[in-house]
Amino acid sequence: MTRTIVVDPVTRIEGHAKISIFLDEAGEVSDARFHVVEYRGFEKFCEGRPFTEMAGITARICGICPVSHLLASAKTGDKILAVKIPPAADKLRRMMNLAQLTQSHALSFFHLSSPDFLLGWDSDPATRNVFGLIAANPDLARAGIRLRQFGQTVIEKLGARKIHAAWTVPGGVRSPLSEDGRQWILDRLPESFATVSLALDLFKDMLDKALKGEIDIFGQFPTLYMALVNSKGEWEHYDGHLRFTDSHGNIVADGLSEDDYSQFIGEAVEPWSYLKFPYYQPLGYPDGIYRVGPLARLNVCDRIGTDAADQELQELRDLAGGVPTSSFLYHYARLIEILACLEKLQILVDDPDVLSSRCRAQGGVNHLDAVGVSEAPRGTLFHHYQVDENGLIQKVNLIIATGQNNLAMNKTVAQIAKHYIHGPEIPEGLLNRVEAGIRCFDPCLSCSTHAAGQMPLHLQLVAADGQILDEVRR
Amino acid sequence: MSVNTLKIDGQDIAVEEGATILQAAREAKIPIPTLCYLEGVSPAAACRMCLVEVKGSPKLLPACHTAALEGMEVSTNTPKLQSFRRMNMELLFAEGNHVCAVCVANGNCELQDLAIRVGMDHSRFAYRFPDRKVDMSHPQFGIDHNRCILCTRCVRVCDEIEGAHVWDVAQRGEHCFIVSGMNQPWGKVDACTSCGKCVDACPTGAIFRKGSTIGEKERDREKLSFLVTAREKQQWTR
Ligand code: SF4
Ligand code: SF4
């Protein structure tokens, strides 16, 4: 008899989703699906609004990475104004994005994912969370919380608020960094460096031992990768051009402009999920599966461009024996990216430009169609606006990082389920592994469906005829 | 010049003949909330926030538009008035589309300030979500009708101070809206001198400078009464 197992809701991710696992006649996993069951329709209610409001509106899509939307929206706005923003604004926006990547990655690693690694997959779900972590390893938990706070505070020092700072505007930013803010960042950087190297050592040690098996099971498969790189082919988070590479490290496409995204990214729709399925158009759907985010950024770039992070990147590549293709290594990539962000912040904070008040260019409505791109913590984020000659929004399209990982998340869930599930018995720790497969991508469903909420867990086991045989909720 | 004496909230007050209850109260430092009232232009009594109780009158009367008469006994802050003002405020919010979080006036909005002052923490009335337009056709300014509370300050400053009379109120009841020219896009109205007085006058984020983003609206309200004083009394106070 074939059955379906549904995990609903999935926990410790941002948003609401469920997982269905389909069993065949023999009780073996035939397929798995990651359903996103929320819908918000942000794109619709932006219509008719002045484009200058878009940063503020789209930042409300998410309280986790509003900065990414602020940046992508401001960059789209720059293009509508047809201005080149002042160098100070470019550097200040970069600082904010680096801070954002740091805080978001710290949240993903320390608060959401490390309880699995450190307390064990099969430990009691009631304590398998950040509070359990605090009890078991208070120093690490405290360091992680402070690292996130560091990123949040840098955002606040720049934009006057932690969340939804309306500081990035079309044409630049509203104000420079203050001397006090600069000093605060300088004072706190050493501690942040220490935390990330502590976490890197710990995680690398576990990859050698306790977590060795996970690398092969948690989403280990070839796909394309997409991310921004700079003109030297180095790691990039704010500007530059798009590049696709494959799992052998070959460059599939390079020098792509976000303006042409619709020519290389297709968006498929499936009836069972509100989350669209973007794919690399030249390869079609679903063969054009690609991954974005921390691991993709590291795979796509030739090098990072800062010493310590480049050393770590080399270690990761050595460990994988080439291009790391396991989704489990997203966690590793996040830590390396935090290190890269801190190194780049260190360089920027010493740059006198970030204190310059020449940070906002003015302009009228000069382009009616514009696409902005930036690298959000979870991957490449596109904003596409069409405006009328007065700058009122006619049409909006947002392509969100988590959506682009949708195909890979489904594949990861299927791979984990196939490995662990044989027959109708589903132990709790196993559910947790399935969820953890999703958490590798640190998906933010609030953004990707432009939907809100918190993610509980619901798992269903369904027969070949569609009948639900078993259900687990928590 | 004759003087009238009256009681406001139990306090004896003497004012020049012709003064309104609002002027009398302000002279005596008795606060009465106002929204459509604007120093320097004629009163409109449109917002109904300044309503007061006058002994012997069955109706609540707008302080901005009611003469202070000899022997009047006025109450400005009774429980009835408090509950009335709060309800009035809720209706103002329910009538338009106010998304403060993304508004140019957020943090610098008289409607917001007054809502806080009268203790409005939510609306008991269902929001109407009317379908209203944004006009960005003017080269320097924009008007977002979603945030307009029909206070007519823009109408009055443009007519009485600038003398251009670009603005008017069109339609009736719930269909009322502020029109520019003969219901043309603002940018097409030749009469507009682009002086920006309506931006300074507007209590909300309805009229704003183009390019302003969230919370960036600034206004120079005092400039309006300065101009009137300069013109009428030949006194340049700044
Ligand atoms: S006009 Fe005032 S009350 Fe209305 S949305 Fe703007 S800030 Fe809020
Ligand atoms: S546009 Fe502003 S000043 Fe004019 S009526 Fe509306 S709220 Fe009042």
Side-chain angles (χ1 to χ4, degrees):
Chain A
M1 175 180 53
T2 70
R3 315 208 311 167
T4 304
I5 302 162
V6 179
V7 181
D8 180 16
V10 182
T11 59
R12 281 181 280 145
I13 67 171
E14 316 289 349
H16 192 115
K18 73 175 187 180
I19 296 169
S20 303
I21 298 163
F22 301 91
L23 301 187
D24 63 14
E25 307 285 340
E28 293 294 311
V29 174
S30 63
D31 199 5
R33 276 175 188 173
F34 174 62
H35 313 253
V36 176
V37 288
E38 288 187 356
Y39 179 76
R40 282 168 92 195
F42 251 85
E43 284 151 346
K44 192 70 200 160
F45 64 66
C46 294
E47 286 172 15
R49 301 305 311 168
F51 76 96
T52 42
E53 263 176 29
M54 286 302 289
I57 297 176
T58 53
R60 255 85 190 168
I61 289 175
C62 182
I64 309 294
C65 57
V67 169
S68 313
H69 288 288
L70 284 171
L71 286 173
S73 181
K75 286 185 76 186
T76 317
D78 299 343
K79 286 191 180 171
I80 291 175
L81 301 177
V83 296
K84 181 166 165 45
I85 68 166
D90 182 90
K91 290 173 186 167
L92 286 159
R93 284 186 186 174
R94 282 175 180 276
M95 280 188 88
M96 191 177 258
N97 204 29
L98 293 167
Q100 156 81 355
L101 289 162
T102 303
Q103 71 85 8
S104 174
H105 285 358
L107 175 76
S108 166
F109 185 82
F110 292 96
H111 300 59
L112 302 180
S113 291
S114 70
D116 291 330
F117 317 146
L118 295 164
L119 308 175
W121 302 105
D122 305 296
S123 62
D124 179 3
T127 54
R128 198 177 53 212
N129 51 38
V130 73
F131 301 106
L133 184 68
I134 291 168
N137 193 340
D139 287 345
L140 182 76
R142 182 171 173 278
I145 289 166
R146 278 181 64 85
L147 182 60
R148 169 151 201 256
Q149 183 216 31
F150 168 76
Q152 293 277 67
T153 310
V154 174
I155 294 170
E156 194 183 2
K157 297 274 174 208
L158 288 164
R161 329 176 35 166
K162 282 196 191 81
I163 326 172
H164 304 320
W167 172 79
T168 52
V169 291
V173 299
R174 285 186 181 180
S175 53
L177 182 63
S178 67
E179 189 51 63
D180 285 357
R182 193 182 95 92
Q183 196 51 50
W184 186 92
I185 298 171
L186 279 171
D187 292 347
R188 272 288 285 270
L189 268 168
E191 180 193 326
S192 305
F193 275 115
T195 300
V196 71
S197 65
L198 174 80
L200 269 165
D201 288 345
L202 196 81
F203 192 70
K204 284 190 280 190
D205 189 51
M206 287 189 292
L207 278 181
D208 268 349
K209 303 175 191 129
L211 299 173
K212 216 176 166 77
E214 275 74 2
I215 298 180
D216 291 333
I217 303 156
F218 282 58
Q220 169 79 288
F221 44 78
T223 59
L224 300 180
Y225 302 93
M226 184 192 75
L228 289 171
V229 290
N230 71 14
S231 54
K232 292 184 264 179
E234 291 171 342
W235 183 86
E236 177 57 74
H237 62 99
Y238 167 76
D239 217 348
H241 62 264
L242 291 159
R243 176 188 276 182
F244 281 87
T245 57
D246 67 16
S247 285
H248 305 292
N250 304 314
I251 293 176
V252 174
D254 202 6
L256 299 172
S257 161
E258 66 273 16
D259 294 340
D260 307 319
Y261 78 94
S262 59
Q263 279 155 42
F264 51 84
I265 296 175
E267 287 190 281
V269 180
E270 294 282 5
W272 43 268
S273 181
Y274 279 126
L275 191 52
K276 288 180 191 163
F277 292 81
Y279 59 96
Y280 179 60
Q281 251 186 16
L283 296 189
Y285 178 78
D287 293 344
I289 177 172
Y290 65 95
R291 281 179 273 186
V292 296
L295 188 67
R297 285 191 287 259
L298 295 190
N299 283 350
V300 156
C301 69
D302 301 339
R303 70 192 83 75
I304 289 174
T306 53
D307 294 342
D310 267 326
Q311 241 170 9
E312 293 293 341
L313 177 59
Q314 196 49 52
E315 265 192 61
L316 167 66
R317 287 177 178 171
D318 292 346
L319 170 96
V323 177
T325 55
S326 167
S327 304
F328 193 69
L329 296 173
Y330 267 86
H331 296 300
Y332 196 167
R334 255 174 227 120
L335 293 175
I336 298 174
E337 282 204 328
I338 296 178
L339 183 56
C341 290
L342 296 176
E343 288 187 292
K344 296 203 179 227
L345 268 174
Q346 178 89 62
I347 296 166
L348 282 169
V349 84
D350 285 330
D351 188 325
D353 269 0
V354 297
L355 302 173
S356 161
S357 54
R358 293 200 173 280
C359 52
R360 186 169 182 177
Q362 305 285 347
V365 177
N366 295 307
H367 267 161
L368 302 187
D369 194 310
V371 182
V373 67
S374 81
E375 286 289 341
R378 293 156 183 86
T380 320
L381 169 67
F382 296 86
H383 279 206
H384 179 191
Y385 310 155
Q386 281 162 274
V387 296
D388 69 9
E389 67 281 6
N390 294 319
L392 295 180
I393 296 283
Q394 306 297 300
K395 205 162 181 292
V396 176
N397 191 24
L398 309 173
I399 298 190
I400 308 287
T402 295
Q404 298 170 85
N405 281 332
N406 201 2
L407 280 169
M409 285 192 284
N410 276 279
K411 234 177 149 160
T412 300
V413 169
Q415 191 174 52
I416 296 170
K418 278 181 185 154
H419 184 88
Y420 288 106
I421 297 179
H422 304 283
E425 295 307 313
I426 308 143
E428 200 284 332
L430 201 123
L431 290 191
N432 187 36
R433 285 183 174 83
V434 170
E435 281 187 278
I438 296 291
R439 276 199 296 272
C440 292
F441 297 90
D442 187 23
C444 181
L445 307 179
S446 310
C447 285
S448 45
T449 59
H450 327 318
Q454 225 230 345
M455 203 160 237
L457 183 88
H458 179 193
L459 183 134
Q460 278 180 334
L461 194 64
V462 187
D465 56 6
Q467 190 196 339
I468 295 164
L469 299 173
D470 194 8
E471 231 169 334
V472 189
R473 279 176 194 270
R474 66 154 192 254
Chain B
M1 188 186 314
S2 66
V3 163
N4 286 333
T5 54
L6 68 157
K7 264 191 185 350
I8 303 184
D9 293 344
Q11 199 176 321
D12 287 317
I13 292 165
V15 281
E16 278 177 26
E17 164 117 34
T20 61
I21 295 176
L22 182 66
Q23 282 163 339
R26 290 212 167 153
E27 258 171 52
K29 307 250 176 317
I30 297 169
I32 296 178
T34 56
L35 195 51
C36 69
Y37 180 78
L38 185 65
E39 206 65 62
V41 290
S42 55
C47 71
R48 317 310 279 179
M49 289 307 292
C50 71
L51 289 180
V52 290
E53 287 191 70
V54 176
K55 197 170 174 190
S57 162
K59 291 196 295 185
L60 302 177
L61 296 169
C64 72
H65 215 339
T66 306
L69 300 179
E70 182 62 35
M72 256 184 178
E73 285 182 39
V74 180
S75 306
T76 69
N77 202 19
T78 60
K80 179 177 173 181
L81 288 170
Q82 286 168 11
S83 97
F84 182 84
R85 285 178 188 140
R86 193 190 142 153
M87 182 170 67
N88 193 21
M89 191 46 81
E90 290 172 28
L91 288 165
L92 282 172
F93 272 91
E95 187 183 35
N97 294 311
H98 292 273
V99 187
C100 298
V102 297
C103 178
V104 288
N106 195 6
N108 186 12
C109 170
E110 289 180 49
L111 184 63
Q112 240 181 11
D113 292 347
L114 206 51
I116 295 165
R117 190 165 145 199
V118 303
M120 175 192 154
D121 46 12
H122 70 289
S123 170
R124 287 164 291 180
F125 306 100
Y127 289 95
R128 289 175 60 242
F129 301 115
D131 185 11
R132 295 188 185 169
K133 295 282 172 286
V134 183
D135 179 357
M136 299 288 279
S137 60
H138 191 283
Q140 291 170 42
F141 315 120
I143 177 167
D144 183 345
H145 293 280
N146 291 288
R147 303 174 186 143
C148 175
I149 53 168
L150 296 167
C151 71
T152 71
R153 278 188 187 183
C154 53
V155 178
R156 288 173 284 147
V157 290
C158 187
D159 178 41
E160 297 174 25
I161 305 182
E162 181 60 10
H165 200 120
V166 169
W167 303 103
D168 263 305
V169 182
Q171 303 277 15
R172 318 183 58 131
E174 62 166 341
H175 303 295
C176 266
F177 68 100
I178 295 289
V179 276
S180 34
M182 305 300 284
N183 198 7
Q184 296 151 283
W186 188 359
K188 291 261 157 30
V189 181
D190 290 340
C192 177
T193 63
S194 302
C195 71
K197 290 189 181 67
C198 52
V199 185
D200 283 333
C202 181
T204 69
I207 300 186
F208 51 89
R209 281 173 205 284
K210 272 176 134 173
S212 313
T213 58
I214 305 165
E216 280 194 306
K217 177 163 174 173
E218 283 173 359
R219 36 172 111 68
D220 184 359
R221 183 102 353 105
E222 276 69 48
K223 188 171 76 195
L224 302 169
S225 48
F226 157 75
L227 286 173
V228 173
T229 312
R231 183 182 299 152
E232 290 175 1
K233 302 195 181 142
Q234 313 290 300
Q235 288 169 5
W236 283 265
T237 52
R238 52 151 71 168

